Every structure is written in C-alpha cells, then in structure tokens.
Amino acid sequence: MNRKTIIKIILAVVVILVVMKGVSFVYDKIQVMNAPTMQEISEANPWTVPADWFKTDTITIKGHIEDYDAEQFGFTSMACYYDDVFEKGSTVLVLDIADDGTFCKKFLASYPVCNSFIADGSKVFFNAIPFFARPGETIDITVRKASFWRYECVYNNGSSRDVERWLRTSGKFEKALSPLWKFEGKFDDANKVADEVWKRLMAKLQSISRSEDYTPMEVQLALADIQANFGMDYIGCIERLSNDLVKYEKRDSTWHAEILDSAEWNKYLDSKTYEPMRRIDYDNPLLFASSSYYFLQNRIQYAKPVREGQYKGLFSEGGGMEINVENFTKKLVNGLAALREFMGTDKDNLLAQMCVYKDMVNEFDTWREEGDIYQRLLADTTITEAQRKENLDNWPTLTKMWPLYLDAIKNPYIRQKAEQFRDRRLAQKDLTTPLPSTPEAELIRSLVAKYPGRILFIDFWGMSCGPCRGAIQESKELRAEIAKRDDVKLVFIAGERTKEGSDAYKQYVAEWLANEETVCLPNAEFRRLQELFQFNGIPHYETITPDCRRVREDLSIGGYHNFNNDLERVLEKLK
C-alpha cells in the first residue's frame, strides 16, 4: 500500500467520523426538542412508594471480589462519603477488603440510600461498588471480571438487584449537567442554559430507560436523582457566578465588600431569578434516596434569597440578631415564607420541613436551659433581679421554642426524628467520651502521650482545602501566643497520597506550620480518622482531654476565631 492510498484512507475515515458526529449532533438536538416533561415520564411509569419508605435501621453491604489480590488491585479498603440529613454532619464509611476478597460493612440509615464505595489508587479497571439499599436490608454483591479486563457488580439480592439497570447506567446522566459546571456569564443566560440542561436530562432519561428496560421503580428513582443533582448544580452555578460580583478588600484590619454589578446582584437576591428550581418536586420522598439530597437541602436552606428573607428586619445596627423569643419566632415564620417563595409553592413541603428540622438542630444549644449562656444569665449579678427576670423571660429557651418549631413540621417521621434528637441530647450528660480500642485511635493516644497534661486541639486539614489554609494563615499570630501555653497543644493532621506528603505539602508546612506538631497520613488512613470522628468536610476540629477522651461536640473548641474563650470554657467544664 503506497503513501497516497494511506492518506486517502485516513481522509475517508476522518470524513466518516465528522459526518457521524454531525448526525449524532442533529439527532441529539431532535431528542432535546422533543423531550418529554417530567410529569409525562412520571405518569408513564407509575410506581407507589412503599409505606415504610422512611425507617431507621441498619444497612449491611457485603460480598466478594473474585480473584482479589491487594498488590495487583492497589487498595485494601474503599470509602463511602455518606450524608444522613437527620444527622448534624457528613461522615465517611470505610469498607475493608479481606485477603480473600470478602467485605462487609454495616451502618445505620434513616431512609433508603443510593451511594457508592470508592477505591483510591486502583491499579485495575475497577474502583467503585454502587449500591441501593433500604434500612433493614443486607445486600450481597459479587464483583467479577467482565469483558476487556473491566469489572462488574452482580447484585445477588435485595433492592440493589431490583434497580441494577439504573445502578449500572446512572453515571450516564452526569455529562448532561456539565454546562452548569462550566457556565460563565449573566444569570438570565444561566437560566437559559439550565432550561436546555433540564430538557437534555429528560430526553436522556427517556432514551436510557427504554434502551436499558428500566422498571417503573428505576424510572422514578432516576427521576428523583436527576432532580436532586440538577437543583444542587444549578444553585452551585449561581453561587459561583455571584462570587464574581463582589470585590473584597482589607482596609484597617477590616474586610470591605464592593458590589461590582448592582443589577446582577439584585437578581442574585431575588427568588424569581431561581425559576429553574421550581421544576423540582420537593414533596417527593424519593429525593431522600439521592446521594445529592443532603447538598440540595443545604444549598436551598442557605440560598441567598432564603437567608435574606429569613433574617429580614431581624438584624440590629451592629449586624447581629438579638437573641430573644420574638426574633426566633419571626425567624421561623420568615424562613418558611422565604422557602415557599423560592420553591414556588403555597405549602411547607418535605424539604421546607427538613430546613426547619435543621434549624432546630443548629439552635438546640442556644435554646437549652442547661446551656452556658442561659447559666450566665442566671448568675449575672451586675444587674437587678427585675432585669435578670426580664432577660430570662425573653430568652428563647428550649421549652418555649421547641414546641413552636416542632409544630411547623407536619410529616410524622421528621417530627419523630426531631423528638429523638432532643431526647438524645438531653440525656447526654457526660462532657467527654472515651476513644475506642481501634488502630486509628492509637494515633490519637500516641499524640496525647507525647504531650502529657495538655488538651489537644486537632486541626484536620488538607492542601486542596482553601478554607483550611485560610484559617491556618490567618491564625499565625494567635498560634504563636498559644504555643507559649503549657495546657494546650495544637496538632495538624492532613491526608496525602503518601505518608511523606507531596512537595507542595512539605513546602506549605515549612512556611506556615514550621513550629507545629504536624502529621501526614496516606488518604486511606485519614479516612479512618474521618470515620472515627464522623466527619467528611474539612477543616474539622476535635478537642481531646489529657486523659485521652473526646470532648463533646457542643463543648469543644470550634476553631481559631474564638479559640481563647472556647479553651477557657473547656478548662472550666473539665475541672
């Protein structure tokens, strides 16, 4: 075959590829133009949500990886980044792989869970075990080699087997969301992109559900997952665009904000701008099963129009909200009204009730009569008895506020979870708890032994975390003062690919943490500490006593911004 013939063949192939891409583009456009509505898809695939959809019980994920070899596969554990909206924060679940390839993990769940265990540093074409399980289930999974050296998950029983087609293909919807991740421009244009993305998602769901022969259950779960991901990514897009509307400048040790485009900023504050969010059915209980629901609920609760509406008229001239019964009552009423406006509804749906639940959880320590602030009011001798009584009467105590907020929650399961949270916290009398007898806890014990008689303040951080580095750098002068104390020691623990850390890590530690106690762990070991202390995001802080006990979350040191006061409170409590 001569050179000219080869060139002709290459050109022919290129032409064919270009034509195929063009045909694919046209076909894609036609699909989007004829995309069904969410209501049409839902009505065409009726499925009744089980009566016990909301239930608290354990989920067990077990199984076997065929022909598993730790060195060949490159990992001995997998991690699931798990969020339960009824808990205060996220956590990590670590799944250990035995030498023979077997695995088993049990965890408590408040509703059905769709998530994945992910392997870090895999050397083979396998790094994830997706699953769907309802509380009370044990899901048995076999991981085996498929074609082209790839691996597949075979679901031997339970809910995962019922939705195995969806689990296998759910990742195909992610690409349709990418325009929201990449968009740069004005809010109105972002909404046009969001409309296109939504239609593309509906068209893709229709196409994939038909080609993969989804059951009605799978269609409904996929539809709910799409809504959660769409809402999460849309608000993420809007928040990213809003960052470019403000210029921050530090003058006289104070940060000042300058709005660069007031017209766009006003749109950012206006619930009407968020019209694409009104496509979501916030009363759909299936939303809870999506791994993105936690983030959807959080982003809506803290969306700018919602927060502005919630605190409207409550801020004093000094910038804060005065703590009293009247203001917390207004905050509840305002917040629900703002949520209804944002979501385009005239009722307090499931997501709105979850936002109320979260507010109750977050304000619990402010309201409780046993709290530090309330006790200081009781003991305040600088004012008259009449003034002290007036302050106490106006204080938003748990007995006053809890019933009011609980009455806003109509869903019986959310009410039950709220009452269980209250009872659990009120029964919590111990200030500290012992660390378990596990290998990951031994690291903490070794650090306590290294600094006898001192409280340890542990800062879990990472190089990829901007807020972590910001907190470290801004606290430089404070940490220099803390270093002079003999009753507390700061410890900085980071996760890296190797225990030696990257060059960037070493350089950063040399510049900002040169005189501190720093610990660098491989990511797998760092995740075990995340599971131990039940956190996902960083920075995260823990307070450990000299006798190696963990200080209760509501009493521990919360960071550098109020470090000295928090430390003195801990020392006083531990006397």
Side-chain angles (χ1 to χ4, degrees), residues 132-228:
F132 173 69
R134 295 176 60 191
E137 282 192 304
T138 294
I139 304 295
D140 185 77
I141 304 169
T142 301
V143 179
R144 68 186 183 191
K145 190 176 291 184
S147 58
F148 303 109
W149 298 97
R150 294 186 178 276
Y151 288 77
E152 64 179 1
C153 292
V154 178
Y155 303 99
N156 301 310
N157 69 322
S159 294
S160 288
R161 185 172 182 176
D162 294 338
V163 298
E164 60 183 340
R165 291 157 295 274
W166 173 50
L167 290 176
R168 186 176 64 249
T169 56
S170 60
K172 292 184 178 182
F173 299 103
E174 291 182 8
K175 188 177 179 181
L177 290 160
S178 62
L180 289 175
W181 310 337
K182 302 173 183 177
F183 179 79
E184 301 287 345
K186 303 288 187 179
F187 291 138
D188 289 346
D189 293 327
N191 284 354
K192 292 177 184 177
V193 170
D195 288 341
E196 182 78 6
V197 165
W198 180 263
K199 292 176 183 176
R200 194 175 299 278
L201 285 166
M202 293 301 102
K204 190 170 283 290
L205 175 56
Q206 184 180 63
S207 174
I208 292 175
S209 64
R210 288 175 175 175
S211 64
E212 297 293 333
D213 197 23
Y214 276 14
T215 65
M217 177 183 178
E218 289 177 304
V219 171
Q220 295 290 349
L221 284 169
L223 198 56
D225 192 46
I226 284 171
Q227 292 175 73

Side-chain angles (χ1 to χ4, degrees), residues 302-321:
Y302 293 98
K304 195 68 172 179
V306 174
R307 296 304 274 180
E308 291 284 319
Q310 185 175 34
Y311 286 97
K312 186 177 181 179
L314 298 182
F315 286 126
S316 63
E317 292 184 3
M321 185 186 86

Side-chain angles (χ1 to χ4, degrees), residues 405-424:
Y405 274 64
L406 190 64
D407 190 54
I409 299 176
K410 305 305 180 184
N411 180 272
Y413 187 72
I414 301 177
R415 285 178 65 92
Q416 179 189 30
K417 297 297 281 190
E419 291 169 342
Q420 288 173 349
F421 171 85
R422 178 200 59 201
D423 295 344
R424 186 169 66 247

Side-chain angles (χ1 to χ4, degrees), residues 243-261:
N243 292 336
D244 295 331
L245 301 177
V246 188
K247 178 183 178 182
Y248 294 97
E249 186 178 21
K250 196 171 187 179
R251 300 193 301 269
D252 302 324
S253 301
T254 304
W255 284 100
H256 298 267
E258 177 188 356
I259 305 300
L260 303 178
D261 188 332

Side-chain angles (χ1 to χ4, degrees), residues 398-447:
L398 199 62
T399 52
K400 297 171 188 172
M401 303 313 303
W402 194 265
L404 182 66
Y405 274 64
L406 190 64
D407 190 54
I409 299 176
K410 305 305 180 184
N411 180 272
Y413 187 72
I414 301 177
R415 285 178 65 92
Q416 179 189 30
K417 297 297 281 190
E419 291 169 342
Q420 288 173 349
F421 171 85
R422 178 200 59 201
D423 295 344
R424 186 169 66 247
R425 289 297 298 272
L426 289 177
Q428 192 177 26
K429 301 301 181 184
D430 293 335
L431 303 179
T432 62
T433 54
L435 294 178
S437 299
T438 58
E440 49 269 22
E442 288 307 311
L443 170 64
I444 308 302
R445 290 191 175 90
S446 67
L447 290 167

Side-chain angles (χ1 to χ4, degrees), residues 557-568:
I557 301 171
Y560 302 103
H561 61 283
N562 199 33
F563 185 91
N564 290 326
N565 288 337
D566 285 353
L567 176 60
E568 293 307 318

